[in-house]
Amino acid sequence: MNETGTEAQKARASEWFETLRDRICAAFEAIEDSFDGPGGPGLDPATPAGRFERSAWQRPDKKVSSGGGGVMSVMRGRVFEKVGVNVSTVHGTFSDEFAGQIPGTDKSPAFWAAGISLVAHMRSPKVPAVHMNTRHIVTGKAWFGGGADLTPMVPDDTDTADFHAALKAACDGHEPGDYARFKAWCDDYFFLKHRNEARGVGGIFFDNLDCADAADWDAKFAFTRAVGEAFLEIYPDIVRRHMDEPWAEAERAHQLVRRGRYVEFNLLYDRGTKFGLMTGGNTEAILMSLPPEVRWP
Amino acid sequence: MNETGTEAQKARASEWFETLRDRICAAFEAIEDSFDGPGGPGLDPATPAGRFERSAWQRPDKKVSSGGGGVMSVMRGRVFEKVGVNVSTVHGTFSDEFAGQIPGTDKSPAFWAAGISLVAHMRSPKVPAVHMNTRHIVTGKAWFGGGADLTPMVPDDTDTADFHAALKAACDGHEPGDYARFKAWCDDYFFLKHRNEARGVGGIFFDNLDCADAADWDAKFAFTRAVGEAFLEIYPDIVRRHMDEPWAEAERAHQLVRRGRYVEFNLLYDRGTKFGLMTGGNTEAILMSLPPEVRWP
């Protein structure tokens, strides 16, 4: 194991994902509090500021022997129409079907995984939807993966530039962060082949950042933390820029159609969704990413 | 080829699917005309009776060499919130990736396929959604496949019994129709494993009804026609039973959540959807099955 994937490292990673969750939830609740809206039709002006509701789940014993669980935090608010932030720390044994497909499972099908996953669907069509996920996985190998990508309904050049710049800064500040590669990987991954359309304006995506030794683990963990910090710095800022702008019914209709593309991606292509549903993950937590209201007119 | 999959047979099958389409569209438009509604909130009383709009598409040359095309008929009406009836007659050559998975392609990857596919999403939560599809496929083999299944938002025992009875009668009247087997196949196929839920109340599902010779082709074609006739007999009847019933906002909300299960099934599991999207099918026609409005609250 080259001193990676130790119990101490697992605990540090797992704690970080929970800390990041707490900070993100606090930042999003503060946005709910400072909202002056409503900016458009469909929201009762008396709607109170949203608050996250947490529910814990245990990993059920299905196809794979397993343990651990997670906490799903969901807020349905005035600015955030539906935002889910899931953290989980699970362990188990892959079925033969999956063991061969996962790095480091050639000698043993055992795995440990922890991560944070976030999807926000915003009430206003002027505010971009967003996805962020980082994770640490330990099999015979130990690696980090993750990314963040922005899905505006009406792209705004400044938002897009600032979102990319924040992620670039996280990459540039840490040796494992190869911005050009991770940006291209994101564009390639979040693409709807059947529509010949990108899901949004991109961001970064990275996986299989293998940890060679303890120092390498530290470097990759630091990079993973930096991605979370970058998200926490830029996304709330982008939300605040637009949340009080008025919008019209036609813009809302456009948003609901674009959300359909989000659903198509998540159910047709998303590796995390498919992997989670097929390995006995928590269905409610996995599908928390689906938008609250969608149209295929 | 044992005198199956001949040009004359292909033409007869293709013409039947178009004839059935015309009769179904006429029956559905007649329902729109006779509607007294609206039965619930959300429909402008001045909404005119719906009419099908047809658009033809040609099979593009993508991954497979190909030809033919189809016609998509869509109606957005007062009773039928969104109903799509697609017919297509296409031919081409499977890519290596698919050729091995399809019966009768061991000697040649060439295929010909024609069929009708219908999905109806109803405005009233009191009226069940429905799916019906029948098809004829010719590779080195020639076979029929298809089925019909009902998805009530609030199951009604009489509707369910009558729907099953109509399909049973079609099966019982034709030697290739093995009702018990096709009903069980339907229950097995339209099941959302990740939710541990059935999509609806079932119906029948059949595939690979291989045609051994010309007489066998005739028998299986007759059965396939009978399934279409059974659908045409029973579904409009079920719609008329419920379309004028009042409904409440809470029932509509329930319907929109249940429609989410329909989306999950179609994008996660449906073989036709996946096969179509991956073999260069017409995306708009394939995804016409997705509901006009959906919620994952």
Side-chain angles (χ1 to χ4, degrees):
Chain A
M1 294 293 282
N2 293 320
E3 296 175 7
T4 70
T6 65
E7 293 308 311
Q9 288 166 338
K10 288 176 182 174
R12 284 178 64 197
S14 195
E15 280 163 26
W16 160 253
F17 296 130
E18 291 174 15
T19 300
L20 180 60
R21 183 265 323 270
D22 292 343
R23 291 171 57 192
I24 289 172
C25 290
F28 287 3
E29 290 185 351
I31 287 173
E32 285 286 320
D33 287 335
S34 61
F35 178 54
D36 277 337
L43 179 68
D44 181 344
T47 304
R51 284 294 176 265
F52 277 95
E53 293 181 12
R54 292 189 179 184
S55 52
W57 52 271
Q58 294 297 308
R59 187 170 167 82
D61 198 279
K62 284 186 180 173
K63 287 187 179 174
V64 291
S65 66
S66 58
V71 177
M72 186 163 60
S73 302
V74 185
M75 179 167 71
R76 296 174 179 88
R78 309 191 292 187
V79 180
F80 291 84
E81 189 172 338
K82 179 182 170 192
V83 52
V85 190
N86 294 311
V87 293
S88 63
T89 301
V90 299
H91 57 91
T93 309
F94 286 119
S95 64
D96 291 346
E97 180 190 356
F98 281 99
Q101 301 175 32
I102 310 290
T105 55
D106 46 331
K107 289 177 188 160
S108 159
F111 72 91
W112 177 96
I116 179 171
S117 177
L118 176 158
V119 173
H121 296 289
M122 311 307 288
R123 196 171 292 278
S124 166
K126 300 289 182 72
V127 182
V130 79
H131 159 254
M132 187 276 293
N133 159 248
T134 52
R135 55 194 175 272
H136 181 40
I137 300 180
V138 180
T139 59
K141 294 182 170 188
W143 72 90
F144 289 91
D149 67 292
L150 195 72
T151 306
M153 306 304 151
V154 183
D156 173 303
D157 289 345
T158 305
D159 292 347
T160 301
D162 291 351
F163 189 78
H164 287 307
L167 294 170
K168 183 174 189 300
C171 291
D172 290 351
H174 296 268
E175 186 275 333
D178 184 341
Y179 178 68
R181 183 171 154 241
F182 296 167
K183 180 177 189 297
W185 199 344
C186 184
D187 289 341
D188 188 57
Y189 183 75
F190 292 107
F191 188 79
L192 288 85
K193 287 184 278 291
H194 67 289
R195 299 273 190 190
N196 196 32
E197 279 177 15
R199 183 169 88 169
V201 297
I204 61 170
F205 184 96
F206 59 98
D207 201 3
N208 299 113
L209 289 190
D210 290 358
C211 306
D213 54 33
D216 195 33
W217 190 93
D218 284 340
K220 277 152 183 166
F221 181 44
F223 169 62
T224 300
R225 293 200 311 275
V227 171
E229 301 272 8
F231 170 82
L232 186 54
E233 178 197 309
I234 188 61
Y235 185 66
D237 187 33
I238 290 174
V239 173
R240 288 178 187 276
R241 292 176 194 176
H242 300 289
M243 67 183 186
D244 293 319
E245 293 174 10
W247 75 82
E249 194 56 61
E251 292 167 312
R252 172 73 178 175
H254 172 71
Q255 177 191 41
L256 299 185
V257 171
R258 293 307 307 173
R259 283 181 177 173
R261 303 296 202 265
Y262 217 91
V263 174
E264 290 172 26
F265 183 87
N266 278 24
L267 300 181
L268 286 170
Y269 300 113
D270 192 79
R271 296 191 314 172
T273 301
K274 285 179 177 293
F275 181 79
L277 293 177
M278 293 189 192
T279 54
N282 184 278
T283 296
E284 286 298 328
I286 295 164
L287 296 184
M288 184 48 60
S289 64
L290 296 177
E293 189 179 348
V294 188
R295 286 189 200 152
W296 282 274
Chain B
M1 294 292 284
N2 294 319
E3 297 176 4
T4 69
T6 67
E7 293 307 311
Q9 288 165 339
K10 289 176 182 173
R12 285 177 63 199
S14 194
E15 281 163 25
W16 159 254
F17 295 130
E18 291 175 13
T19 300
L20 179 61
R21 183 266 321 269
D22 293 343
R23 290 171 58 192
I24 289 171
C25 289
F28 287 3
E29 290 185 350
I31 287 173
E32 285 285 320
D33 286 336
S34 61
F35 178 55
D36 278 338
L43 180 67
D44 181 343
T47 305
R51 284 295 176 266
F52 277 95
E53 293 181 13
R54 291 188 180 185
S55 51
W57 52 270
Q58 294 298 309
R59 187 170 168 81
D61 197 280
K62 283 188 184 174
K63 286 187 182 176
V64 291
S65 65
S66 59
V71 177
M72 185 163 60
S73 301
V74 184
M75 179 166 72
R76 297 174 179 88
R78 310 191 291 187
V79 180
F80 292 85
E81 190 173 337
K82 178 181 169 192
V83 52
V85 190
N86 293 311
V87 294
S88 62
T89 300
V90 298
H91 57 90
T93 308
F94 286 119
S95 63
D96 292 347
E97 180 189 354
F98 282 98
Q101 302 177 30
I102 310 290
T105 54
D106 45 332
K107 289 177 187 159
S108 159
F111 73 93
W112 177 97
I116 179 172
S117 177
L118 177 157
V119 172
H121 295 289
M122 311 307 288
R123 197 171 292 277
S124 167
K126 299 290 181 72
V127 182
V130 79
H131 159 254
M132 188 276 294
N133 159 248
T134 52
R135 57 195 173 268
H136 182 40
I137 299 179
V138 180
T139 58
K141 295 182 169 186
W143 72 91
F144 289 91
D149 67 292
L150 194 70
T151 306
M153 306 304 150
V154 184
D156 173 304
D157 289 345
T158 306
D159 293 346
T160 301
D162 291 351
F163 189 78
H164 286 307
L167 293 170
K168 182 174 190 300
C171 291
D172 290 350
H174 296 268
E175 187 274 332
D178 184 341
Y179 178 68
R181 182 171 154 242
F182 296 168
K183 181 177 188 298
W185 200 343
C186 185
D187 289 340
D188 188 57
Y189 183 75
F190 291 107
F191 188 78
L192 289 84
K193 287 184 278 291
H194 66 290
R195 297 274 192 190
N196 197 33
E197 279 178 14
R199 182 170 88 168
V201 296
I204 61 171
F205 184 96
F206 59 99
D207 201 4
N208 300 111
L209 289 190
D210 290 359
C211 305
D213 55 32
D216 195 33
W217 189 94
D218 284 341
K220 278 154 182 165
F221 181 43
F223 168 63
T224 300
R225 292 200 309 276
V227 171
E229 301 272 9
F231 170 82
L232 187 52
E233 180 196 308
I234 187 62
Y235 184 66
D237 187 32
I238 290 174
V239 173
R240 287 177 187 276
R241 291 176 193 175
H242 299 290
M243 67 183 186
D244 294 319
E245 293 174 9
W247 76 82
E249 194 57 59
E251 292 167 312
R252 173 72 177 175
H254 173 71
Q255 176 191 42
L256 298 185
V257 171
R258 293 307 307 171
R259 284 181 177 173
R261 305 294 203 263
Y262 217 90
V263 175
E264 291 173 24
F265 183 87
N266 278 25
L267 299 181
L268 286 172
Y269 301 114
D270 192 78
R271 297 191 314 172
T273 300
K274 284 179 177 293
F275 182 79
L277 293 178
M278 293 191 194
T279 54
N282 184 280
T283 296
E284 286 297 328
I286 294 165
L287 296 184
M288 185 48 62
S289 64
L290 297 178
E293 190 179 347
V294 188
R295 286 189 200 153
W296 282 274

